[in-house]
């Protein structure tokens, strides 16, 4: 099965100058945990709810800073013709839950572990990826 068969095509995105507050609002409106950051529809970064919590709010910011200050740059991306198993492998290895999908350097979709897990033939793949993505790290607070 190809990524194009399961990816979400209606994607909210931001540009690098949008505010962290705008990112949080779009995440709420679209019920998503990450948004691709684009310049001329080319993916240059990704911002997650975790990025906002740890890189902005935990540092005392008020949400007015630009997403380029908290986003992850050079995100891993996939292509619509990529096999779903290949995407799961990448997501597992890179420990990411969402993969922007690009074609001809333009954002065309997004695939998440949720998209993969709802496909009966792919549920085992999503489970394996989630186990690898959710590996605990050393507790830095003890």
């Amino acid at each position: 099965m190809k990524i194009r068969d399961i990816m979400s095509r209606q994607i909210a995105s931001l540009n690098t100058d949008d505010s962290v507050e705008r990112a949080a609002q779009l995440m709420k409106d679209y019920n998503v945990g990450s948004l691709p950051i684009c310049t001329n529809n080319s993916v240059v970064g990704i911002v997650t709810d975790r990025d906002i919590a740890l890189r902005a709010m935990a540092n005392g910011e008020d949400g007015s800073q630009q997403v380029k200050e908290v986003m992850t740059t050079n995100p891993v991306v996939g292509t619509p013709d990529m096999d779903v198993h290949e995407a799961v492998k990448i997501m597992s290895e890179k420990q990411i839950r969402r993969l922007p999908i690009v074609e001809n350097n333009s954002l065309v979709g997004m695939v998440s572990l949720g998209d993969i897990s709802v496909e009966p033939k792919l549920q085992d793949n999503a489970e394996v990826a989630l186990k690898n993505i959710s590996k605990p790290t050393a507790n830095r607070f003890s």
Side-chain angles (χ1 to χ4, degrees):
M1 181 177 287
K2 300 291 182 188
I3 287 295
R4 76 171 64 256
D5 299 325
I6 63 167
M7 71 182 189
S8 299
R9 296 174 190 275
Q10 300 297 322
I11 306 301
S13 65
L14 298 164
N15 66 55
T16 56
D17 295 329
D18 283 324
S19 70
V20 169
E21 181 179 12
R22 172 95 172 116
Q25 187 62 53
L26 280 177
M27 287 179 189
K28 178 182 174 189
D29 291 349
Y30 287 87
N31 193 30
V32 296
S34 71
L35 294 166
I37 310 303
C38 298
T39 300
N40 299 325
N41 208 36
S42 180
V43 179
V44 297
I46 192 161
V47 67
T48 66
D49 45 9
R50 182 174 167 83
D51 293 332
I52 292 170
L54 298 180
R55 296 180 183 168
M57 307 318 289
N59 290 333
E61 298 292 335
D62 64 2
S64 63
Q65 73 188 120
Q66 296 173 321
V67 292
K68 67 182 168 191
E69 297 175 43
V70 299
M71 73 181 191
T72 299
T73 57
N74 301 314
V76 177
V77 297
T79 65
D81 292 326
M82 177 183 280
D83 184 79
V84 171
H85 296 95
E86 183 182 350
V88 168
K89 181 180 177 193
I90 290 168
M91 293 168 81
S92 180
E93 288 172 354
K94 300 294 184 179
Q95 295 192 329
I96 56 176
R97 297 172 187 260
R98 301 159 193 98
L99 187 65
I101 305 302
V102 298
E103 189 170 43
N104 299 320
N105 278 341
S106 291
L107 179 68
V108 295
M110 192 82 137
V111 69
S112 70
L113 285 182
D115 297 325
I116 295 166
S117 69
V118 297
E119 290 294 323
K121 296 177 189 174
L122 301 173
Q123 287 175 349
D124 290 344
N125 292 293
E127 183 179 326
V128 168
L130 183 59
K131 283 180 184 175
N132 289 329
I133 292 166
S134 300
K135 285 181 183 174
T137 57
N139 185 347
R140 290 176 258 179
F141 300 108
S142 54

Coordinates of all heavy atoms in Angstrom, one line a residue, residues 18-74:
D18 N 4.7 33.1 11.4 CA 3.5 33.0 12.2 C 3.9 32.8 13.7 O 5.0 32.3 14.0 CB 2.7 31.8 11.8 CG 1.9 32.1 10.5 OD1 1.4 33.3 10.3 OD2 1.7 31.2 9.7
S19 N 3.0 33.2 14.5 CA 3.3 33.2 16.0 C 3.0 31.8 16.5 O 2.2 31.0 16.0 CB 2.4 34.2 16.7 OG 1.0 33.8 16.7
V20 N 3.6 31.5 17.7 CA 3.4 30.3 18.4 C 1.9 30.2 18.8 O 1.3 29.1 18.8 CB 4.3 30.2 19.6 CG1 3.9 29.1 20.6 CG2 5.8 30.0 19.2
E21 N 1.3 31.3 19.2 CA -0.1 31.4 19.5 C -0.9 30.9 18.4 O -1.9 30.1 18.5 CB -0.5 32.7 20.0 CG -1.9 32.8 20.4 CD -2.3 34.2 20.9 OE1 -1.6 35.2 20.7 OE2 -3.4 34.3 21.4
R22 N -0.6 31.4 17.2 CA -1.4 31.0 16.0 C -1.2 29.5 15.7 O -2.2 28.8 15.4 CB -0.8 31.7 14.7 CG -1.4 31.3 13.4 CD -2.6 32.1 13.0 NE -3.0 31.7 11.6 CZ -4.1 31.1 11.3 NH1 -5.0 30.9 12.3 NH2 -4.4 30.8 10.1
A23 N 0.0 28.9 16.0 CA 0.2 27.5 15.8 C -0.7 26.7 16.8 O -1.4 25.8 16.4 CB 1.7 27.2 16.1
A24 N -0.7 27.2 18.0 CA -1.5 26.5 19.0 C -3.0 26.6 18.7 O -3.8 25.6 18.8 CB -1.3 27.1 20.4
Q25 N -3.5 27.7 18.2 CA -4.9 27.9 17.8 C -5.2 26.9 16.6 O -6.3 26.3 16.6 CB -5.2 29.3 17.4 CG -6.6 29.6 17.1 CD -7.5 29.3 18.4 OE1 -7.2 29.8 19.4 NE2 -8.5 28.5 18.2
L26 N -4.3 26.8 15.6 CA -4.6 25.9 14.5 C -4.6 24.5 15.0 O -5.4 23.7 14.5 CB -3.6 26.1 13.4 CG -3.8 27.3 12.4 CD1 -2.6 27.4 11.4 CD2 -5.1 27.2 11.7
M27 N -3.7 24.1 15.9 CA -3.7 22.8 16.4 C -5.0 22.4 17.1 O -5.6 21.4 16.9 CB -2.6 22.6 17.4 CG -1.2 22.5 16.7 SD 0.1 22.3 17.9 CE 1.5 22.5 16.9
K28 N -5.5 23.4 17.8 CA -6.8 23.2 18.5 C -8.0 23.1 17.5 O -8.8 22.2 17.5 CB -7.1 24.4 19.4 CG -8.5 24.4 20.1 CD -8.7 25.6 21.0 CE -10.1 25.6 21.6 NZ -10.4 26.8 22.2
D29 N -8.0 24.0 16.5 CA -9.0 24.0 15.5 C -9.1 22.8 14.6 O -10.2 22.3 14.3 CB -8.9 25.2 14.5 CG -9.1 26.6 15.2 OD1 -9.6 26.6 16.4 OD2 -8.8 27.6 14.6
Y30 N -7.9 22.2 14.3 CA -7.8 21.1 13.5 C -7.6 19.8 14.2 O -7.5 18.7 13.6 CB -6.7 21.2 12.4 CG -7.0 22.2 11.3 CD1 -6.8 23.5 11.5 CD2 -7.6 21.8 10.2 CE1 -7.1 24.5 10.5 CE2 -8.0 22.7 9.1 CZ -7.7 24.0 9.3 OH -8.0 24.9 8.3
N31 N -7.6 19.9 15.6 CA -7.4 18.7 16.4 C -6.2 17.9 16.0 O -6.2 16.7 15.8 CB -8.6 17.8 16.5 CG -8.6 16.8 17.6 OD1 -8.0 17.0 18.6 ND2 -9.2 15.7 17.3
V32 N -5.0 18.6 15.9 CA -3.8 17.9 15.5 C -2.7 18.3 16.5 O -2.8 19.3 17.2 CB -3.3 18.3 14.1 CG1 -4.3 17.8 13.0 CG2 -3.1 19.8 13.9
G33 N -1.6 17.5 16.5 CA -0.5 17.8 17.4 C 0.7 18.3 16.8 O 1.7 18.6 17.5
S34 N 0.7 18.5 15.5 CA 1.8 19.1 14.8 C 1.4 19.8 13.5 O 0.3 19.5 12.9 CB 2.9 18.1 14.5 OG 2.4 17.2 13.4
L35 N 2.2 20.7 13.1 CA 1.9 21.5 11.8 C 3.2 21.6 11.1 O 4.2 22.0 11.6 CB 1.3 22.9 12.2 CG 0.0 22.9 12.8 CD1 -0.3 24.3 13.4 CD2 -1.1 22.5 11.8
P36 N 3.1 21.4 9.8 CA 4.3 21.7 8.9 C 4.5 23.2 8.8 O 3.5 24.0 8.8 CB 4.0 21.0 7.6 CG 2.5 20.8 7.6 CD 2.0 20.8 9.0
I37 N 5.7 23.6 8.7 CA 6.1 25.0 8.5 C 6.6 25.1 7.1 O 7.5 24.4 6.7 CB 7.1 25.5 9.5 CG1 6.7 25.2 11.0 CG2 7.4 27.0 9.4 CD1 5.4 25.7 11.4
C38 N 6.0 26.0 6.3 CA 6.3 26.0 4.9 C 6.8 27.4 4.4 O 6.3 28.4 5.0 CB 5.1 25.6 4.0 SG 4.6 23.9 4.3
T39 N 7.6 27.4 3.5 CA 8.0 28.6 2.7 C 7.7 28.3 1.3 O 8.3 27.4 0.7 CB 9.5 29.0 2.9 OG1 9.7 29.2 4.3 CG2 9.9 30.2 2.1
N40 N 6.8 29.1 0.7 CA 6.4 28.8 -0.7 C 5.9 27.3 -0.9 O 6.3 26.7 -1.9 CB 7.5 29.2 -1.7 CG 7.8 30.6 -1.7 OD1 7.0 31.5 -1.4 ND2 9.1 30.9 -1.8
N41 N 5.2 26.8 0.0 CA 4.6 25.5 0.1 C 5.7 24.4 0.2 O 5.4 23.2 0.1 CB 3.7 25.2 -1.2 CG 2.7 24.1 -0.8 OD1 2.2 24.1 0.3 ND2 2.4 23.3 -1.8
S42 N 7.0 24.8 0.4 CA 8.0 23.8 0.6 C 8.2 23.7 2.1 O 8.3 24.7 2.9 CB 9.3 24.3 0.0 OG 10.4 23.4 0.2
V43 N 8.3 22.4 2.6 CA 8.4 22.2 4.1 C 9.8 22.5 4.5 O 10.8 21.9 4.1 CB 8.0 20.7 4.4 CG1 8.2 20.5 5.9 CG2 6.6 20.4 3.9
V44 N 9.9 23.5 5.5 CA 11.2 23.9 6.0 C 11.3 23.5 7.5 O 12.3 23.7 8.1 CB 11.4 25.4 5.8 CG1 11.5 25.7 4.4 CG2 10.4 26.2 6.5
G45 N 10.2 23.1 8.1 CA 10.2 22.7 9.5 C 8.9 22.1 9.9 O 8.0 22.0 9.1
I46 N 8.8 21.8 11.2 CA 7.6 21.2 11.8 C 7.5 21.7 13.2 O 8.6 21.8 13.9 CB 7.5 19.7 11.6 CG1 6.1 19.2 12.0 CG2 8.6 19.0 12.5 CD1 5.8 17.8 11.4
V47 N 6.4 22.0 13.7 CA 6.2 22.4 15.1 C 5.2 21.5 15.7 O 4.1 21.2 15.1 CB 5.8 23.9 15.2 CG1 4.4 24.2 14.7 CG2 5.9 24.4 16.7
T48 N 5.5 21.0 16.9 CA 4.6 20.1 17.6 C 4.0 20.8 18.9 O 4.6 21.8 19.3 CB 5.3 18.8 18.0 OG1 6.3 19.1 18.9 CG2 5.9 18.1 16.8
D49 N 3.0 20.2 19.4 CA 2.5 20.7 20.7 C 3.6 20.6 21.8 O 3.7 21.5 22.6 CB 1.2 20.0 21.1 CG 1.3 18.5 21.0 OD1 2.4 17.9 20.7 OD2 0.2 17.8 21.1
R50 N 4.4 19.6 21.7 CA 5.5 19.5 22.6 C 6.5 20.6 22.4 O 7.1 21.1 23.4 CB 6.2 18.1 22.4 CG 7.3 17.8 23.4 CD 7.8 16.4 23.2 NE 9.1 16.2 23.8 CZ 9.2 15.9 25.1 NH1 8.2 15.8 25.9 NH2 10.4 15.7 25.6
D51 N 6.8 21.0 21.2 CA 7.7 22.1 20.9 C 7.2 23.4 21.6 O 8.0 24.1 22.2 CB 7.9 22.4 19.4 CG 8.6 21.3 18.7 OD1 9.4 20.6 19.3 OD2 8.3 21.1 17.5
I52 N 5.9 23.6 21.4 CA 5.3 24.8 22.0 C 5.4 24.8 23.5 O 5.8 25.7 24.2 CB 3.8 24.9 21.6 CG1 3.8 25.3 20.1 CG2 3.1 26.0 22.4 CD1 2.4 25.2 19.4
A53 N 5.1 23.6 24.1 CA 5.1 23.5 25.6 C 6.6 23.6 26.1 O 6.8 24.4 27.1 CB 4.6 22.1 26.0
L54 N 7.5 23.0 25.5 CA 8.9 23.0 26.1 C 9.8 24.1 25.6 O 10.6 24.6 26.4 CB 9.6 21.6 25.7 CG 8.9 20.4 26.3 CD1 9.7 19.1 25.9 CD2 8.8 20.5 27.8
R55 N 9.6 24.5 24.4 CA 10.5 25.5 23.8 C 10.0 27.0 24.0 O 10.7 27.9 23.8 CB 10.8 25.3 22.4 CG 11.6 24.0 22.2 CD 11.9 23.7 20.7 NE 12.6 22.4 20.5 CZ 12.7 21.8 19.4 NH1 12.3 22.4 18.3 NH2 13.3 20.7 19.3
A56 N 8.7 27.1 24.2 CA 8.1 28.4 24.3 C 7.5 28.6 25.7 O 8.1 29.4 26.5 CB 7.0 28.6 23.3
M57 N 6.5 27.9 26.0 CA 5.7 28.2 27.3 C 6.6 27.9 28.5 O 6.6 28.6 29.5 CB 4.4 27.4 27.3 CG 3.6 27.6 26.1 SD 3.4 29.3 25.5 CE 2.5 30.1 26.7
A58 N 7.3 26.8 28.5 CA 8.2 26.5 29.7 C 9.3 27.5 29.9 O 9.8 27.6 31.0 CB 8.7 25.1 29.6
N59 N 9.6 28.2 28.9 CA 10.6 29.3 29.0 C 10.0 30.6 29.3 O 10.7 31.7 29.3 CB 11.4 29.4 27.7 CG 12.3 28.1 27.5 OD1 12.7 27.5 28.5 ND2 12.6 27.8 26.3
G60 N 8.7 30.6 29.6 CA 8.1 31.9 30.0 C 7.6 32.8 28.9 O 7.2 33.9 29.1
E61 N 7.6 32.3 27.7 CA 7.2 33.1 26.5 C 5.6 33.2 26.6 O 4.9 32.4 27.2 CB 7.6 32.4 25.2 CG 9.1 32.3 25.0 CD 9.8 33.6 24.9 OE1 9.2 34.6 24.4 OE2 11.0 33.7 25.2
D62 N 5.1 34.2 25.9 CA 3.7 34.5 26.0 C 3.0 34.1 24.7 O 1.8 34.3 24.5 CB 3.5 36.0 26.2 CG 4.0 36.9 25.0 OD1 4.5 36.3 24.0 OD2 3.8 38.1 25.2
G63 N 3.6 33.4 23.8 CA 3.0 32.9 22.6 C 3.2 33.8 21.4 O 2.7 33.5 20.3
S64 N 3.8 35.0 21.6 CA 3.9 35.9 20.5 C 5.2 35.7 19.7 O 5.4 36.2 18.6 CB 4.0 37.4 21.0 OG 5.1 37.6 21.9
Q65 N 6.1 34.8 20.2 CA 7.3 34.6 19.4 C 6.9 33.8 18.1 O 5.9 33.2 18.0 CB 8.3 33.8 20.2 CG 8.0 32.4 20.5 CD 9.0 31.8 21.5 OE1 8.6 31.3 22.5 NE2 10.3 31.7 21.2
Q66 N 7.8 33.9 17.1 CA 7.6 33.2 15.8 C 7.9 31.8 15.9 O 8.8 31.3 16.7 CB 8.4 33.9 14.8 CG 8.1 35.4 14.6 CD 9.0 36.0 13.6 OE1 10.2 35.8 13.6 NE2 8.5 36.9 12.8
V67 N 7.1 31.0 15.1 CA 7.3 29.5 15.1 C 8.7 29.1 14.7 O 9.2 28.1 15.2 CB 6.2 28.8 14.3 CG1 4.9 28.9 14.9 CG2 6.2 29.2 12.9
K68 N 9.4 29.9 13.9 CA 10.7 29.6 13.5 C 11.7 29.5 14.7 O 12.7 28.8 14.6 CB 11.3 30.5 12.5 CG 11.5 32.0 12.9 CD 12.0 32.8 11.8 CE 12.0 34.3 12.1 NZ 12.2 35.1 10.9
E69 N 11.3 30.1 15.8 CA 12.1 30.0 17.0 C 11.9 28.7 17.8 O 12.8 28.4 18.7 CB 11.8 31.2 17.9 CG 12.2 32.6 17.3 CD 11.7 33.7 18.1 OE1 12.0 33.7 19.3 OE2 11.2 34.7 17.5
V70 N 10.9 28.0 17.6 CA 10.6 26.8 18.3 C 10.5 25.5 17.5 O 10.4 24.4 18.0 CB 9.3 26.9 19.2 CG1 9.5 28.0 20.2 CG2 8.1 27.1 18.4
M71 N 10.4 25.7 16.2 CA 10.2 24.6 15.3 C 11.4 23.7 15.1 O 12.5 24.1 15.4 CB 9.7 25.1 13.9 CG 10.9 25.7 13.1 SD 10.2 26.3 11.5 CE 11.8 26.6 10.6
T72 N 11.2 22.5 14.7 CA 12.3 21.6 14.3 C 12.6 21.9 12.8 O 11.6 21.8 12.0 CB 11.9 20.1 14.5 OG1 11.6 20.0 15.9 CG2 13.0 19.2 14.1
T73 N 13.8 22.1 12.5 CA 14.2 22.4 11.1 C 14.6 21.1 10.4 O 14.9 20.1 11.1 CB 15.3 23.4 11.0 OG1 16.4 22.9 11.8 CG2 14.9 24.8 11.6
N74 N 14.6 21.2 9.1 CA 14.9 20.0 8.3 C 14.2 18.8 8.7 O 14.8 17.7 9.0 CB 16.5 19.8 8.3 CG 17.2 21.0 7.8 OD1 16.9 21.6 6.8 ND2 18.3 21.4 8.6

